[in-house]
Amino acid sequence: MRILKKDNRFYLISMLTALALCVLWVVFVKTVPYSDFDYYYDLAKKISEGGSFGDTYTSVGYSIILGFIFSIFGKGIIVGEIFNLILTAIGYLLMYNLIKKINISETGKKMIFIIFVFFPANIFYNSIIGVEILFTMLLLLITNIYFSNNKFKYVFIGILAGVENMIKPFFIVFFFVIFLVEIIIDKKLLKPMVNSMIVLILTCVVTAPMVYRNTKLVGQFTYVSNNNGIVLYINNNSQNTKGRWMAAADVENSIISTDKYKEANMTQKNSKIYFLPTIWQGLVVLFKVCF
């Protein structure tokens, strides 16, 4: 491997040092799955036992992959943490390979690499059963493929973007990122449009089985997940002046206490229509706080 060469010793030492810190963090900082992290963990255990993919509340791509890992190596937080460490190491190698393709000074490349491998979140998240490390690794893989000369790269990107979309539902817009980048660089329309459409179509193909499953489960069209409405409500209601998580039930005259909300299905409960008035109030409060 190129990173083992003498000229690249700096990157190898940096990577091994950062990995050592990640291992020490996992060993000495004990974490317990909580909230969404607990949901991912419990769902992964059920999937490893042949259970269902949960409800439609949040995206389950990470839990499906972790459940597969659990089915092979056993269920346990330590298995998830080791999986994170492996993903982190792969991410470091992908980052190294990526910066070697960037046309900047060697000093600049080293600074970027150091910032990435020692970035606190890239260390801390190794002890958390969450989507972040897997999502980051796959994003780096997609980026490496994009800058490669592989003639099927848009096919591979589309498939991986579909996996990313199962982990973070907003990733469906990645095709548009490719379109913008290529239209700016190439100053042409047709080729960027074709390439971005390949990515979009394959992303949709990969995501389609989960969308079908969710739609059948709920009884109306349901995307990869449908917690967007309640998340907006939690972060933007008129009593949330700091814009961070709070229990929806703690909001005065909370919408989740209404009969209309209780009688709705999961997709209807998370419809933005329910939350627009409260979101607007939250934005007004945020504006007052900032200005």
Side-chain angles (χ1 to χ4, degrees), residues 175-188:
F175 80 98
F176 190 62
V177 175
I178 290 179
F179 175 75
L180 289 178
V181 169
E182 295 197 349
I183 203 170
I184 291 172
I185 295 174
D186 296 337
K187 304 294 190 299
K188 297 178 182 178

Side-chain angles (χ1 to χ4, degrees), residues 2 90-102 116 136-150 153 156-157 160 174:
R2 188 167 56 178
I90 295 172
Y92 288 169
L93 291 172
L94 290 170
M95 187 63 181
Y96 163 78
N97 191 56
L98 185 60
I99 63 173
K100 282 298 182 178
K101 298 177 181 179
I102 301 176
F116 178 77
T136 301
M137 187 279 291
L138 288 176
L139 181 58
L140 287 169
L141 178 58
I142 289 172
T143 308
N144 271 272
I145 293 173
Y146 181 77
F147 285 108
S148 73
N149 295 319
N150 192 302
K153 66 180 181 180
F156 295 135
I157 290 172
L160 289 172
F174 189 71

Side-chain angles (χ1 to χ4, degrees), residues 17-30 85 123 126-127:
T17 303
L19 279 175
L21 290 175
C22 292
V23 172
L24 290 173
W25 180 267
V26 167
V27 170
F28 292 106
V29 179
K30 302 300 180 182
L85 290 170
I123 297 174
N126 280 280
S127 63

Side-chain angles (χ1 to χ4, degrees), residues 159-171:
I159 294 171
L160 289 172
V163 176
E164 286 281 61
N165 194 46
M166 292 280 290
I167 298 171
K168 293 281 189 180
F170 63 78
F171 212 78

